[in-house]
Amino acid sequence: DVDDNKGQSIISLYDGTVESIITRSGTPLVKAGDEVHTGDVLVENKVTVPDDYEENIQEFSVDAEADIYIRTILSYYEELEAGYEDKIYTGKIMTTHGFDIGKYEINIGFPRRIKEYTKTVVNDNLRIGKKLSMPIDIRKTVLREYNTKECEYSQQEAEQYFVEKLGIFIKHLKENKVQINDYHVNIERSGDMYVFHADIEAVVPADSDLRKV
């Protein structure tokens, strides 16, 4: 008897057609051209060994190993909010300096308050000469004021965004031995969102889920 708890079978992670299969270990249950569905066992974790007279057949558990490729359709979906806030810098820049000594902070300069800004902090260690380092950090903080403006992506800008995202996904697929045959895309505006959908005709490794980057 075989212990089904030992060894791993190869399970399909896609719906599609078996493009090719080369089995190194286990018992193949499909062949090239067969239609398969997600969850189907492609190569079982069992091998049968008959004796010289093919009378006493024994089954053994193994880790199934095979190169299996499935022709399938990969769906890619992305959304983009049409509206966004843009930062318009006013040109006003304020700078403060300070020292950090252990857990204590000493600030020099108190610029008047600004409502919205980006902040850049640069820290440097206080040194005497080139080699002697002191337990004091010199801190420079730069505030750049900006105003916000409500903007909206144009159809062309949305298309460019989605094309770049799809390019990253396709690059990810190719790096993982996926053959891209063709793809079809659709972009539409739905309320305050741009919606992008792509159907990618591809040949993928049957047991590797590559639908997420």
Side-chain angles (χ1 to χ4, degrees), residues 35-48:
E35 295 291 325
V36 296
H37 300 282
T38 301
D40 286 354
V41 177
L42 306 179
V43 179
E44 195 174 27
N45 63 335
K46 300 175 183 178
V47 292
T48 57

Side-chain angles (χ1 to χ4, degrees), residues 97-117:
H97 295 83
F99 298 92
D100 295 333
I101 306 174
K103 62 180 180 179
Y104 299 101
E105 294 184 2
I106 301 173
N107 294 304
I108 303 173
F110 298 91
R112 66 184 179 85
R113 180 173 296 180
I114 54 180
K115 186 177 180 181
E116 294 178 308
Y117 56 87

Side-chain angles (χ1 to χ4, degrees), residues 10-11 19 24 29 32 77 83 107 110 114 132 143 178 196 205:
I10 296 177
I11 309 296
E19 181 79 3
R24 292 184 295 276
L29 303 183
Y77 182 84
N107 294 304
F110 298 91
I114 54 180
L132 183 58
L143 309 181
V178 173
F196 177 82

Side-chain angles (χ1 to χ4, degrees), residues 69-149:
Y69 288 87
I70 293 179
R71 184 179 298 274
T72 188
I73 301 294
L74 299 177
S75 291
Y76 180 81
Y77 182 84
E78 191 82 42
E79 290 182 342
L80 175 66
E81 288 190 19
Y84 67 97
E85 287 188 347
D86 194 14
K87 295 177 182 177
I88 309 298
Y89 286 92
T90 66
K92 183 179 293 183
I93 299 175
M94 299 183 179
T95 304
T96 63
H97 295 83
F99 298 92
D100 295 333
I101 306 174
K103 62 180 180 179
Y104 299 101
E105 294 184 2
I106 301 173
N107 294 304
I108 303 173
F110 298 91
R112 66 184 179 85
R113 180 173 296 180
I114 54 180
K115 186 177 180 181
E116 294 178 308
Y117 56 87
T118 58
K119 181 169 70 172
T120 304
V121 180
V122 179
N123 291 297
D124 195 12
N125 184 246
L126 181 62
R127 293 175 178 272
I128 298 177
K130 294 183 178 180
K131 296 183 179 181
L132 183 58
S133 178
M134 303 293 289
I136 301 173
D137 285 335
I138 303 172
R139 176 169 27 84
K140 178 182 178 181
T141 303
V142 179
L143 309 181
R144 291 178 169 83
E145 185 183 53
Y146 66 84
N147 296 320
T148 55
K149 179 182 178 181

Side-chain angles (χ1 to χ4, degrees), residues 180-191:
I180 307 295
N181 294 328
D182 197 5
Y183 59 86
H184 309 277
V185 302
N186 180 63
I187 302 173
E188 61 183 21
R189 177 75 178 262
S190 177

Side-chain angles (χ1 to χ4, degrees), residues 1-40:
D1 294 335
V2 62
D3 184 354
D4 291 329
N5 293 323
K6 294 182 178 179
Q8 297 289 327
S9 296
I10 296 177
I11 309 296
S12 177
L13 299 180
Y14 303 92
D15 296 336
T17 304
V18 178
E19 181 79 3
S20 64
I21 176 170
I22 300 175
T23 305
R24 292 184 295 276
S25 177
T27 301
L29 303 183
V30 296
K31 63 183 182 301
D34 285 353
E35 295 291 325
V36 296
H37 300 282
T38 301
D40 286 354

